[in-house]
Amino acid sequence: MGGFPILTVMTFLPLAGAFLVMLVRSATAGGKGNGGAEAGKTVLLAGVIISAATFAASVAAFATFDRDQAGYQLVEQYAWYGPISFKLGVDGLSLSLVLLTTFLTPICLLASWNSIEKRVTEYVIAFLVLETFMIGVFVSLDLVLFYIFFEAGLIPMFLIVGIWGGKDRVYAAFKFFLYTLIGSLLMLVAMVYMIIAAGSADFEVLEKFTFDPGVQTWLWLAFGASFAVKLPMWPVHTWLPDAHVQAPTAGSVILAGVLLKMGGYGFLRFSLPMFPDASAYFQPAMFALAVIAIVYTSLVAWRQTDMKKLIAYSSVAHMGFVTLGIFSFNETGVQGAIFQMLSHGIIASALFLIVGVVYDRMHTREIASYGGLVNRMPIYASFFMLFTMGNVGLPGTSGFVGELLTMVGGFQAATWAAAGAALGVIFSAVYMLTLYRRTVFGEITNPALAGIKDMNLIEWVCIAPLAALTLLFGFAPNLIFNFTDSSTLRILSMMAGGQ
Protein backbone atom coordinates (compact mmCIF):
# COMPACT_ATOMS: atom_id res chain seq x y z
CA MET A 1 0.00 0.00 0.00
CA GLY A 2 3.06 2.21 -0.17
CA GLY A 3 2.84 5.31 1.96
CA PHE A 4 -0.93 5.27 2.30
CA PRO A 5 -1.78 5.99 5.98
CA ILE A 6 -4.04 2.98 6.41
CA LEU A 7 -3.86 3.01 10.22
CA THR A 8 -4.88 6.66 10.45
CA VAL A 9 -7.76 6.07 8.08
CA MET A 10 -8.85 2.95 9.92
CA THR A 11 -8.66 4.67 13.30
CA PHE A 12 -10.53 7.83 12.46
CA LEU A 13 -13.01 6.53 9.89
CA PRO A 14 -15.62 5.77 12.60
CA LEU A 15 -15.13 9.25 14.09
CA ALA A 16 -15.66 10.83 10.68
CA GLY A 17 -18.66 8.57 10.28
CA ALA A 18 -20.12 9.88 13.51
CA PHE A 19 -20.26 13.34 11.95
CA LEU A 20 -21.85 11.84 8.86
CA VAL A 21 -24.52 10.23 11.03
CA MET A 22 -25.46 13.65 12.33
CA LEU A 23 -25.98 14.81 8.76
CA VAL A 24 -28.09 11.74 8.00
CA ARG A 25 -30.21 12.47 11.05
CA SER A 26 -30.74 16.08 9.94
CA ALA A 27 -31.67 15.05 6.40
CA THR A 28 -34.13 12.33 7.40
CA ALA A 29 -35.65 13.81 10.53
CA GLY A 30 -35.78 17.44 9.52
CA GLY A 31 -34.30 18.29 12.91
CA LYS A 32 -37.30 16.97 14.85
CA GLY A 33 -36.39 14.71 17.79
CA ASN A 34 -35.29 11.27 16.62
CA GLY A 35 -37.18 11.58 13.37
CA GLY A 36 -39.39 8.55 14.04
CA ALA A 37 -38.74 4.85 13.59
CA GLU A 38 -37.85 5.16 9.91
CA ALA A 39 -35.18 7.76 10.57
CA GLY A 40 -33.81 5.64 13.41
CA LYS A 41 -33.37 2.67 11.07
CA THR A 42 -31.64 4.90 8.53
CA VAL A 43 -29.19 6.10 11.16
CA LEU A 44 -28.53 2.55 12.37
CA LEU A 45 -27.95 1.42 8.78
CA ALA A 46 -25.48 4.26 8.30
CA GLY A 47 -23.66 3.17 11.46
CA VAL A 48 -23.50 -0.44 10.26
CA ILE A 49 -22.12 0.62 6.87
CA ILE A 50 -19.48 2.91 8.41
CA SER A 51 -18.32 0.27 10.88
CA ALA A 52 -18.31 -2.35 8.12
CA ALA A 53 -16.09 -0.03 6.05
CA THR A 54 -13.76 0.23 9.05
CA PHE A 55 -13.62 -3.56 9.20
CA ALA A 56 -12.72 -3.58 5.49
CA ALA A 57 -9.91 -1.13 6.21
CA SER A 58 -8.58 -3.41 8.98
CA VAL A 59 -8.68 -6.35 6.56
CA ALA A 60 -6.67 -4.25 4.09
CA ALA A 61 -4.09 -3.62 6.83
CA PHE A 62 -4.05 -7.34 7.57
CA ALA A 63 -3.47 -8.11 3.88
CA THR A 64 -0.28 -6.02 3.84
CA PHE A 65 1.01 -7.33 7.17
CA ASP A 66 4.10 -9.56 7.15
CA ARG A 67 3.42 -12.18 9.82
CA ASP A 68 7.07 -13.27 9.90
CA GLN A 69 8.31 -9.82 10.91
CA ALA A 70 8.52 -9.38 14.69
CA GLY A 71 8.62 -5.58 14.94
CA TYR A 72 5.98 -2.94 14.37
CA GLN A 73 4.68 -2.50 10.84
CA LEU A 74 2.64 0.04 8.87
CA VAL A 75 4.25 2.68 11.09
CA GLU A 76 3.07 6.27 10.73
CA GLN A 77 4.73 9.04 12.72
CA TYR A 78 4.13 12.78 12.82
CA ALA A 79 5.78 15.32 15.12
CA TRP A 80 3.49 16.56 17.84
CA TYR A 81 5.08 18.24 20.88
CA GLY A 82 8.59 17.75 22.25
CA PRO A 83 9.13 14.04 23.06
CA ILE A 84 5.50 13.28 22.21
CA SER A 85 4.56 12.26 18.68
CA PHE A 86 1.53 10.97 16.82
CA LYS A 87 2.87 7.51 16.12
CA LEU A 88 0.83 4.52 15.00
CA GLY A 89 1.91 0.97 14.21
CA VAL A 90 0.87 -2.64 14.68
CA ASP A 91 2.33 -6.05 15.35
CA GLY A 92 0.57 -9.41 15.35
CA LEU A 93 -0.80 -8.88 18.87
CA SER A 94 -2.29 -5.44 18.28
CA LEU A 95 -3.60 -6.10 14.76
CA SER A 96 -5.41 -9.24 15.90
CA LEU A 97 -7.23 -7.18 18.55
CA VAL A 98 -7.98 -4.45 16.00
CA LEU A 99 -9.59 -7.06 13.75
CA LEU A 100 -11.66 -8.31 16.69
CA THR A 101 -12.78 -4.73 17.42
CA THR A 102 -13.75 -3.86 13.87
CA PHE A 103 -15.49 -7.22 13.42
CA LEU A 104 -17.67 -6.87 16.51
CA THR A 105 -18.71 -3.23 16.12
CA PRO A 106 -20.98 -3.64 13.05
CA ILE A 107 -22.49 -6.71 14.71
CA CYS A 108 -23.25 -4.61 17.80
CA LEU A 109 -24.99 -1.93 15.77
CA LEU A 110 -26.94 -4.46 13.74
CA ALA A 111 -27.97 -6.28 16.93
CA SER A 112 -29.46 -2.99 18.13
CA TRP A 113 -31.83 -2.83 15.15
CA ASN A 114 -34.98 -3.68 17.10
CA SER A 115 -33.88 -3.06 20.69
CA ILE A 116 -32.83 0.61 20.57
CA GLU A 117 -35.73 2.95 19.88
CA LYS A 118 -34.84 6.16 21.73
CA ARG A 119 -32.01 8.58 20.95
CA VAL A 120 -30.88 6.33 18.10
CA THR A 121 -28.64 8.96 16.54
CA GLU A 122 -26.78 9.57 19.78
CA TYR A 123 -26.48 5.80 20.32
CA VAL A 124 -24.86 5.23 16.94
CA ILE A 125 -22.55 8.20 17.41
CA ALA A 126 -21.46 6.87 20.81
CA PHE A 127 -20.59 3.48 19.29
CA LEU A 128 -18.66 4.94 16.38
CA VAL A 129 -16.69 7.29 18.63
CA LEU A 130 -15.99 4.37 20.97
CA GLU A 131 -14.71 2.33 18.03
CA THR A 132 -12.19 5.02 17.15
CA PHE A 133 -10.91 5.10 20.72
CA MET A 134 -10.69 1.29 20.97
CA ILE A 135 -8.73 1.01 17.73
CA GLY A 136 -6.52 3.88 18.86
CA VAL A 137 -5.53 1.98 22.01
CA PHE A 138 -4.21 -0.94 19.97
CA VAL A 139 -2.39 1.03 17.26
CA SER A 140 -0.78 3.74 19.41
CA LEU A 141 3.01 3.65 19.68
CA ASP A 142 3.30 6.72 21.89
CA LEU A 143 2.59 6.76 25.63
CA VAL A 144 0.57 9.98 25.63
CA LEU A 145 -1.41 9.00 22.56
CA PHE A 146 -2.13 5.60 24.11
CA TYR A 147 -3.32 7.22 27.33
CA ILE A 148 -5.62 9.62 25.48
CA PHE A 149 -7.32 6.80 23.60
CA PHE A 150 -7.34 4.54 26.66
CA GLU A 151 -9.12 7.11 28.83
CA ALA A 152 -11.33 8.65 26.16
CA GLY A 153 -13.02 5.29 25.65
CA LEU A 154 -14.56 5.65 29.11
CA ILE A 155 -16.82 8.48 27.96
CA PRO A 156 -18.87 6.80 25.20
CA MET A 157 -19.10 3.56 27.21
CA PHE A 158 -20.27 5.54 30.23
CA LEU A 159 -23.00 7.06 28.06
CA ILE A 160 -24.00 3.75 26.49
CA VAL A 161 -24.54 2.17 29.92
CA GLY A 162 -25.93 5.29 31.59
CA ILE A 163 -28.47 6.26 28.91
CA TRP A 164 -29.54 3.04 27.18
CA GLY A 165 -29.07 0.64 30.10
CA GLY A 166 -31.47 -0.89 32.62
CA LYS A 167 -33.16 0.60 35.65
CA ASP A 168 -29.93 0.87 37.70
CA ARG A 169 -27.93 2.13 34.72
CA VAL A 170 -26.70 5.35 36.35
CA TYR A 171 -25.22 3.51 39.34
CA ALA A 172 -23.54 0.94 37.09
CA ALA A 173 -22.20 3.62 34.74
CA PHE A 174 -20.63 5.67 37.51
CA LYS A 175 -19.16 2.57 39.16
CA PHE A 176 -17.59 1.54 35.85
CA PHE A 177 -16.26 5.05 35.24
CA LEU A 178 -14.77 5.59 38.71
CA TYR A 179 -13.11 2.17 38.97
CA THR A 180 -11.36 2.51 35.64
CA LEU A 181 -10.51 6.19 36.01
CA ILE A 182 -8.85 5.88 39.43
CA GLY A 183 -6.63 3.04 38.27
CA SER A 184 -5.63 4.96 35.15
CA LEU A 185 -4.60 8.06 37.09
CA LEU A 186 -1.80 6.04 38.71
CA MET A 187 -0.71 4.93 35.24
CA LEU A 188 -0.56 8.56 34.12
CA VAL A 189 1.85 9.44 36.92
CA ALA A 190 4.08 6.52 35.91
CA MET A 191 3.98 7.61 32.28
CA VAL A 192 5.17 11.11 33.16
CA TYR A 193 8.14 9.63 35.02
CA MET A 194 8.97 7.32 32.10
CA ILE A 195 8.92 10.14 29.56
CA ILE A 196 11.20 12.28 31.72
CA ALA A 197 13.60 9.39 32.43
CA ALA A 198 13.84 8.11 28.86
CA GLY A 199 13.42 11.47 27.14
CA SER A 200 10.81 9.99 24.85
CA ALA A 201 7.25 8.70 24.82
CA ASP A 202 7.98 6.35 21.90
CA PHE A 203 7.23 2.68 22.65
CA GLU A 204 10.26 1.49 20.69
CA VAL A 205 12.57 3.76 22.68
CA LEU A 206 11.02 2.78 26.02
CA GLU A 207 11.29 -0.93 25.21
CA LYS A 208 15.06 -0.51 24.89
CA PHE A 209 15.42 1.76 27.92
CA THR A 210 16.42 0.01 31.14
CA PHE A 211 14.65 1.25 34.26
CA ASP A 212 16.22 0.65 37.66
CA PRO A 213 14.76 -2.53 39.25
CA GLY A 214 13.54 -0.57 42.26
CA VAL A 215 11.79 1.96 40.05
CA GLN A 216 10.34 -0.84 37.94
CA THR A 217 8.39 -2.10 40.94
CA TRP A 218 6.54 1.19 41.35
CA LEU A 219 6.00 1.62 37.62
CA TRP A 220 4.68 -1.93 37.36
CA LEU A 221 2.25 -1.34 40.22
CA ALA A 222 0.99 1.91 38.69
CA PHE A 223 0.37 0.32 35.30
CA GLY A 224 -0.91 -2.88 36.91
CA ALA A 225 -3.53 -0.97 38.88
CA SER A 226 -5.10 0.21 35.64
CA PHE A 227 -4.81 -3.06 33.75
CA ALA A 228 -6.09 -5.13 36.68
CA VAL A 229 -9.31 -3.09 36.76
CA LYS A 230 -9.71 -3.27 33.01
CA LEU A 231 -9.10 -7.03 32.73
CA PRO A 232 -10.70 -7.27 35.39
CA MET A 233 -8.87 -9.18 38.11
CA TRP A 234 -10.10 -10.17 41.53
CA PRO A 235 -10.80 -8.23 43.78
CA VAL A 236 -11.29 -5.15 41.53
CA HIS A 237 -13.81 -6.96 39.32
CA THR A 238 -17.05 -5.92 41.03
CA TRP A 239 -17.86 -3.16 38.54
CA LEU A 240 -18.15 -5.67 35.69
CA PRO A 241 -21.30 -7.63 36.66
CA ASP A 242 -23.19 -4.40 37.35
CA ALA A 243 -22.08 -2.85 34.06
CA HIS A 244 -22.99 -5.98 32.09
CA VAL A 245 -26.41 -6.39 33.66
CA GLN A 246 -27.38 -2.76 33.13
CA ALA A 247 -25.82 -2.25 29.70
CA PRO A 248 -27.86 -2.80 26.53
CA THR A 249 -27.02 -6.03 24.71
CA ALA A 250 -24.60 -4.36 22.30
CA GLY A 251 -22.91 -2.60 25.21
CA SER A 252 -22.31 -5.93 26.91
CA VAL A 253 -20.93 -7.36 23.67
CA ILE A 254 -18.36 -4.60 23.19
CA LEU A 255 -17.50 -4.57 26.88
CA ALA A 256 -16.76 -8.30 27.01
CA GLY A 257 -15.45 -8.57 23.48
CA VAL A 258 -13.00 -5.67 23.40
CA LEU A 259 -12.74 -3.46 26.48
CA LEU A 260 -11.71 -6.28 28.83
CA LYS A 261 -8.93 -7.22 26.42
CA MET A 262 -7.23 -3.87 26.97
CA GLY A 263 -6.06 -5.10 30.36
CA GLY A 264 -4.36 -8.17 28.93
CA TYR A 265 -2.97 -6.13 26.06
CA GLY A 266 -1.52 -3.63 28.52
CA PHE A 267 0.29 -6.32 30.50
CA LEU A 268 1.79 -7.71 27.29
CA ARG A 269 2.67 -4.35 25.76
CA PHE A 270 4.04 -2.62 28.88
CA SER A 271 4.53 -4.78 31.96
CA LEU A 272 6.50 -7.67 30.48
CA PRO A 273 8.84 -5.89 28.02
CA MET A 274 9.34 -2.60 29.90
CA PHE A 275 9.35 -3.83 33.52
CA PRO A 276 10.76 -7.37 33.26
CA ASP A 277 12.32 -7.52 36.73
CA ALA A 278 9.13 -6.34 38.41
CA SER A 279 7.04 -8.73 36.32
CA ALA A 280 9.17 -11.65 37.50
CA TYR A 281 8.94 -10.43 41.09
CA PHE A 282 5.15 -10.23 41.02
CA GLN A 283 4.67 -13.52 39.14
CA PRO A 284 3.61 -15.59 42.20
CA ALA A 285 1.14 -12.92 43.28
CA MET A 286 -0.36 -12.75 39.79
CA PHE A 287 -0.72 -16.53 39.71
CA ALA A 288 -2.50 -16.43 43.07
CA LEU A 289 -4.89 -13.69 41.92
CA ALA A 290 -5.56 -15.57 38.69
CA VAL A 291 -6.45 -18.79 40.50
CA ILE A 292 -8.69 -16.94 42.98
CA ALA A 293 -10.46 -15.21 40.09
CA ILE A 294 -10.99 -18.47 38.24
CA VAL A 295 -12.28 -20.46 41.21
CA TYR A 296 -14.14 -17.80 43.17
CA THR A 297 -15.99 -16.13 40.30
CA SER A 298 -16.88 -19.54 38.84
CA LEU A 299 -18.59 -20.45 42.10
CA VAL A 300 -20.32 -17.07 42.21
CA ALA A 301 -21.47 -17.55 38.61
CA TRP A 302 -23.04 -20.88 39.53
CA ARG A 303 -25.34 -19.20 42.07
CA GLN A 304 -26.63 -16.44 39.79
CA THR A 305 -30.29 -16.17 38.81
CA ASP A 306 -29.73 -13.55 36.09
CA MET A 307 -28.34 -14.88 32.80
CA LYS A 308 -26.29 -11.78 32.06
CA LYS A 309 -24.74 -11.68 35.50
CA LEU A 310 -23.79 -15.35 35.21
CA ILE A 311 -21.97 -14.72 31.92
CA ALA A 312 -20.34 -11.61 33.42
CA TYR A 313 -18.82 -13.60 36.28
CA SER A 314 -17.83 -16.23 33.76
CA SER A 315 -15.89 -13.53 31.90
CA VAL A 316 -13.89 -12.70 35.03
CA ALA A 317 -13.00 -16.38 35.38
CA HIS A 318 -11.90 -16.66 31.77
CA MET A 319 -9.76 -13.56 32.08
CA GLY A 320 -8.07 -15.38 34.95
CA PHE A 321 -6.79 -17.87 32.40
CA VAL A 322 -5.43 -14.94 30.39
CA THR A 323 -3.54 -13.69 33.45
CA LEU A 324 -2.16 -17.19 34.09
CA GLY A 325 -0.90 -17.48 30.51
CA ILE A 326 0.66 -14.01 30.36
CA PHE A 327 2.66 -14.46 33.55
CA SER A 328 3.85 -17.96 32.70
CA PHE A 329 6.61 -16.16 30.73
CA ASN A 330 6.81 -18.93 28.14
CA GLU A 331 5.68 -19.12 24.53
CA THR A 332 2.95 -21.68 25.16
CA GLY A 333 1.33 -19.66 27.93
CA VAL A 334 1.55 -16.26 26.23
CA GLN A 335 0.27 -17.63 22.92
CA GLY A 336 -2.53 -19.29 24.85
CA ALA A 337 -3.35 -15.99 26.60
CA ILE A 338 -3.57 -14.12 23.30
CA PHE A 339 -5.68 -16.89 21.80
CA GLN A 340 -7.91 -16.91 24.88
CA MET A 341 -8.48 -13.16 24.60
CA LEU A 342 -9.61 -13.51 20.99
CA SER A 343 -11.65 -16.64 21.66
CA HIS A 344 -13.37 -15.14 24.68
CA GLY A 345 -14.09 -12.02 22.67
CA ILE A 346 -16.01 -14.16 20.20
CA ILE A 347 -17.76 -16.60 22.56
CA ALA A 348 -18.70 -14.15 25.33
CA SER A 349 -20.01 -11.70 22.73
CA ALA A 350 -22.13 -14.46 21.25
CA LEU A 351 -23.50 -15.46 24.65
CA PHE A 352 -24.59 -11.89 25.39
CA LEU A 353 -26.28 -11.76 21.99
CA ILE A 354 -27.97 -15.08 22.81
CA VAL A 355 -29.33 -13.59 26.03
CA GLY A 356 -30.40 -10.49 24.12
CA VAL A 357 -32.50 -12.58 21.72
CA VAL A 358 -34.84 -13.83 24.44
CA TYR A 359 -34.67 -10.60 26.44
CA ASP A 360 -36.03 -8.64 23.46
CA ARG A 361 -39.00 -11.03 23.41
CA MET A 362 -39.62 -11.54 27.14
CA HIS A 363 -37.99 -8.47 28.76
CA THR A 364 -36.51 -10.55 31.56
CA ARG A 365 -33.14 -12.21 32.10
CA GLU A 366 -34.23 -14.31 35.07
CA ILE A 367 -33.33 -17.95 34.47
CA ALA A 368 -36.49 -19.08 36.27
CA SER A 369 -38.65 -17.34 33.67
CA TYR A 370 -37.48 -19.73 30.97
CA GLY A 371 -37.40 -23.45 30.35
CA GLY A 372 -38.35 -25.58 27.37
CA LEU A 373 -37.08 -23.10 24.78
CA VAL A 374 -36.00 -25.95 22.52
CA ASN A 375 -39.68 -26.69 21.91
CA ARG A 376 -40.29 -23.27 20.37
CA MET A 377 -36.80 -22.13 19.33
CA PRO A 378 -34.76 -25.11 18.03
CA ILE A 379 -32.35 -22.97 15.99
CA TYR A 380 -31.75 -20.71 18.96
CA ALA A 381 -31.17 -23.76 21.17
CA SER A 382 -28.58 -25.08 18.69
CA PHE A 383 -26.58 -21.85 18.66
CA PHE A 384 -26.88 -21.60 22.43
CA MET A 385 -25.51 -25.14 22.76
CA LEU A 386 -22.49 -24.36 20.56
CA PHE A 387 -21.50 -21.28 22.55
CA THR A 388 -22.15 -23.07 25.85
CA MET A 389 -19.72 -25.79 24.76
CA GLY A 390 -17.23 -23.14 23.65
CA ASN A 391 -17.43 -21.40 27.01
CA VAL A 392 -16.94 -24.72 28.78
CA GLY A 393 -13.89 -25.45 26.62
CA LEU A 394 -15.09 -28.43 24.63
CA PRO A 395 -12.51 -29.76 22.13
CA GLY A 396 -13.36 -28.57 18.64
CA THR A 397 -14.22 -25.07 19.84
CA SER A 398 -11.86 -22.12 20.23
CA GLY A 399 -12.48 -22.10 23.99
CA PHE A 400 -10.65 -25.40 24.38
CA VAL A 401 -7.45 -24.21 22.72
CA GLY A 402 -7.00 -21.07 24.80
CA GLU A 403 -7.72 -22.70 28.16
CA LEU A 404 -5.51 -25.72 27.42
CA LEU A 405 -2.49 -23.68 26.37
CA THR A 406 -2.71 -21.25 29.27
CA MET A 407 -2.80 -24.19 31.69
CA VAL A 408 0.08 -25.94 29.93
CA GLY A 409 2.11 -22.73 30.05
CA GLY A 410 1.11 -22.20 33.68
CA PHE A 411 2.08 -25.76 34.53
CA GLN A 412 5.58 -25.15 33.18
CA ALA A 413 5.93 -22.15 35.48
CA ALA A 414 4.00 -23.23 38.60
CA THR A 415 2.26 -26.58 38.93
CA TRP A 416 0.00 -25.38 41.74
CA ALA A 417 -1.35 -22.51 39.65
CA ALA A 418 -2.27 -24.78 36.76
CA ALA A 419 -3.92 -27.23 39.15
CA GLY A 420 -6.00 -24.45 40.66
CA ALA A 421 -6.98 -23.16 37.23
CA ALA A 422 -8.08 -26.66 36.21
CA LEU A 423 -10.81 -26.44 38.84
CA GLY A 424 -12.24 -23.55 36.87
CA VAL A 425 -12.73 -25.79 33.84
CA ILE A 426 -14.83 -28.14 35.96
CA PHE A 427 -16.82 -25.32 37.53
CA SER A 428 -17.48 -23.69 34.16
CA ALA A 429 -19.08 -26.92 32.98
CA VAL A 430 -21.27 -26.91 36.08
CA TYR A 431 -22.64 -23.39 35.78
CA MET A 432 -22.94 -23.27 31.98
CA LEU A 433 -24.63 -26.67 31.64
CA THR A 434 -26.94 -25.78 34.52
CA LEU A 435 -27.87 -22.55 32.73
CA TYR A 436 -28.50 -24.38 29.48
CA ARG A 437 -30.56 -27.13 31.08
CA ARG A 438 -32.77 -24.73 33.00
CA THR A 439 -33.47 -22.43 30.05
CA VAL A 440 -33.58 -24.77 27.06
CA PHE A 441 -34.60 -28.27 28.14
CA GLY A 442 -37.78 -29.51 29.78
CA GLU A 443 -41.36 -28.52 29.17
CA ILE A 444 -42.62 -24.96 28.82
CA THR A 445 -44.07 -23.97 32.18
CA ASN A 446 -44.25 -20.21 31.66
CA PRO A 447 -47.40 -19.42 29.62
CA ALA A 448 -45.70 -16.33 28.19
CA LEU A 449 -43.29 -18.62 26.28
CA ALA A 450 -46.08 -20.37 24.39
CA GLY A 451 -45.96 -17.94 21.49
CA ILE A 452 -42.22 -17.11 21.49
CA LYS A 453 -40.65 -17.16 18.03
CA ASP A 454 -37.29 -18.47 16.88
CA MET A 455 -34.42 -16.29 15.67
CA ASN A 456 -35.12 -13.78 12.90
CA LEU A 457 -32.86 -12.87 9.97
CA ILE A 458 -31.03 -10.04 11.76
CA GLU A 459 -30.26 -12.28 14.73
CA TRP A 460 -29.01 -14.94 12.32
CA VAL A 461 -26.70 -12.46 10.61
CA CYS A 462 -25.28 -11.32 13.97
CA ILE A 463 -24.74 -14.71 15.55
CA ALA A 464 -23.85 -17.06 12.66
CA PRO A 465 -20.42 -15.44 11.94
CA LEU A 466 -19.47 -15.84 15.62
CA ALA A 467 -20.50 -19.50 15.49
CA ALA A 468 -18.38 -20.02 12.37
CA LEU A 469 -15.31 -18.45 14.01
CA THR A 470 -15.80 -20.49 17.20
CA LEU A 471 -15.55 -23.67 15.15
CA LEU A 472 -12.93 -22.41 12.68
CA PHE A 473 -10.44 -21.39 15.36
CA GLY A 474 -11.25 -24.53 17.33
CA PHE A 475 -10.22 -26.77 14.44
CA ALA A 476 -7.57 -24.48 12.93
CA PRO A 477 -5.92 -22.53 15.77
CA ASN A 478 -2.78 -22.00 13.68
CA LEU A 479 -4.67 -19.32 11.79
CA ILE A 480 -4.09 -17.21 14.90
CA PHE A 481 -0.82 -18.71 16.15
CA ASN A 482 0.99 -18.14 12.85
CA PHE A 483 -0.10 -14.52 12.98
CA THR A 484 0.87 -13.79 16.59
CA ASP A 485 3.94 -16.02 17.00
CA SER A 486 6.55 -13.43 16.02
CA SER A 487 5.08 -10.82 18.36
CA THR A 488 4.97 -13.31 21.22
CA LEU A 489 8.62 -14.27 20.78
CA ARG A 490 9.61 -10.60 20.58
CA ILE A 491 7.83 -9.79 23.86
CA LEU A 492 9.47 -12.74 25.62
CA SER A 493 12.90 -11.92 24.23
CA MET A 494 12.62 -8.32 25.47
CA MET A 495 11.66 -9.60 28.89
CA ALA A 496 14.51 -12.09 29.00
CA GLY A 497 16.98 -9.47 27.81
CA GLY A 498 15.85 -6.95 30.40
CA GLN A 499 16.24 -9.16 33.47
Side-chain angles (χ1 to χ4, degrees):
M1 298 188 67
F4 184 74
I6 183 62
L7 295 186
T8 298
V9 171
M10 179 181 68
T11 302
F12 293 101
L13 180 58
L15 187 62
F19 288 101
L20 177 61
V21 165
M22 287 189 244
L23 298 178
V24 171
R25 186 248 187 118
S26 299
T28 57
K32 297 179 181 179
N34 287 314
E38 183 179 349
K41 300 304 183 190
T42 303
V43 170
L44 272 170
L45 179 60
V48 172
I49 292 172
I50 293 163
S51 56
T54 306
F55 175 63
S58 68
V59 172
F62 171 78
T64 64
F65 187 83
D66 182 1
R67 68 184 187 184
D68 296 322
Q69 182 179 327
Y72 299 111
Q73 300 179 44
L74 306 176
V75 175
E76 304 169 24
Q77 186 169 13
Y78 310 96
W80 194 357
Y81 178 78
I84 304 168
S85 64
F86 183 89
K87 184 176 182 180
L88 307 179
V90 291
D91 61 0
L93 167 63
S94 55
L95 187 53
S96 63
L97 290 169
V98 167
L99 287 166
L100 178 65
T101 302
T102 58
F103 176 73
L104 288 178
T105 304
I107 291 177
C108 288
L109 289 171
L110 189 59
S112 306
W113 193 263
N114 295 316
S115 59
I116 301 299
E117 299 175 346
K118 298 179 180 180
R119 298 182 179 272
V120 179
T121 300
E122 291 84 351
Y123 179 82
V124 173
I125 290 172
F127 257 97
L128 292 176
V129 172
L130 177 61
E131 183 177 19
T132 282
F133 294 151
M134 292 188 297
I135 295 172
V137 167
F138 299 127
V139 301
S140 296
L141 292 183
D142 181 277
L143 274 183
V144 175
L145 189 64
F146 170 86
Y147 186 81
I148 291 172
F149 282 125
F150 192 81
E151 287 301 282
L154 294 177
I155 300 171
M157 194 65 209
F158 172 80
L159 295 175
I160 290 169
V161 176
I163 296 176
W164 294 278
K167 63 178 182 179
D168 294 324
R169 58 187 179 273
V170 174
Y171 166 78
F174 273 99
K175 189 173 183 180
F176 157 75
F177 189 88
L178 292 174
Y179 264 69
T180 50
L181 177 65
I182 292 172
S184 297
L185 289 176
L186 295 174
M187 182 172 69
L188 177 61
V189 175
M191 285 182 172
V192 171
Y193 174 88
M194 293 169 67
I195 294 171
I196 295 173
S200 174
D202 191 313
F203 281 17
E204 293 182 286
V205 173
L206 292 168
E207 287 170 349
K208 298 175 183 177
F209 188 85
T210 302
F211 293 98
D212 181 85
V215 174
Q216 281 190 35
T217 300
W218 293 106
L219 296 176
W220 191 99
L221 287 171
F223 275 81
S226 180
F227 301 147
V229 172
K230 209 82 168 183
L231 197 56
M233 295 176 60
W234 182 91
V236 289
H237 67 285
T238 57
W239 64 268
L240 182 65
D242 291 321
H244 269 311
V245 169
Q246 299 304 321
T249 297
S252 293
V253 170
I254 214 70
L255 185 60
V258 181
L259 293 182
L260 300 190
K261 310 306 177 288
M262 292 181 183
Y265 175 77
F267 279 123
L268 288 169
R269 180 63 72 221
F270 295 96
S271 302
L272 267 62
M274 297 185 189
F275 320 126
D277 294 297
S279 295
Y281 177 78
F282 286 110
Q283 182 190 51
M286 296 302 288
F287 278 162
L289 292 174
V291 172
I292 292 173
I294 292 170
V295 175
Y296 171 73
T297 55
S298 293
L299 293 173
V300 174
W302 180 37
R303 303 305 301 166
Q304 297 308 306
T305 59
D306 183 297
M307 287 191 284
K308 252 192 171 184
K309 187 167 283 190
L310 185 151
I311 299 169
Y313 278 109
S314 170
S315 293
V316 180
H318 282 88
M319 289 300 97
F321 285 100
V322 172
T323 305
L324 176 68
I326 290 174
F327 285 89
S328 66
F329 303 150
N330 56 62
E331 183 181 3
T332 302
V334 174
Q335 280 277 55
I338 297 172
F339 192 99
Q340 177 74 349
M341 285 195 288
L342 298 173
S343 171
H344 178 267
I346 295 167
I347 294 173
S349 297
L351 285 170
F352 282 115
L353 289 173
I354 286 289
V355 174
V357 168
V358 291
Y359 180 79
D360 288 344
R361 290 158 171 76
M362 297 291 294
H363 302 291
T364 179
R365 293 182 297 268
E366 287 297 315
I367 298 172
S369 298
Y370 297 94
L373 287 177
V374 69
N375 298 296
R376 297 290 305 169
M377 306 175 71
I379 297 175
Y380 173 85
S382 299
F383 277 119
F384 196 175
M385 172 63 80
L386 171 62
F387 297 122
T388 296
M389 293 299 99
N391 207 46
V392 168
L394 184 75
T397 66
S398 59
F400 170 76
V401 181
E403 289 186 2
L404 177 65
L405 291 183
T406 54
M407 286 193 292
V408 171
F411 184 86
Q412 295 174 13
T415 305
W416 64 269
L423 292 174
V425 178
I426 300 171
F427 294 150
S428 69
V430 172
Y431 63 72
M432 285 305 301
L433 294 178
T434 299
L435 170 66
Y436 190 81
R437 176 183 61 81
R438 294 180 62 189
T439 55
V440 175
F441 290 146
E443 298 297 324
I444 294 178
T445 58
N446 183 353
L449 294 174
I452 195 169
K453 295 181 180 180
D454 212 337
M455 292 169 55
N456 58 40
L457 178 61
I458 291 178
E459 292 162 348
W460 258 93
V461 172
C462 291
I463 293 176
L466 298 172
L469 291 179
T470 299
L471 293 173
L472 176 64
F473 294 143
F475 283 100
N478 279 338
L479 291 174
I480 293 177
F481 293 143
N482 292 339
F483 186 60
T484 59
D485 183 60
S486 296
S487 299
T488 299
L489 293 176
R490 178 174 177 270
I491 291 170
L492 292 174
S493 66
M494 285 191 292
M495 181 177 179
Q499 291 188 71

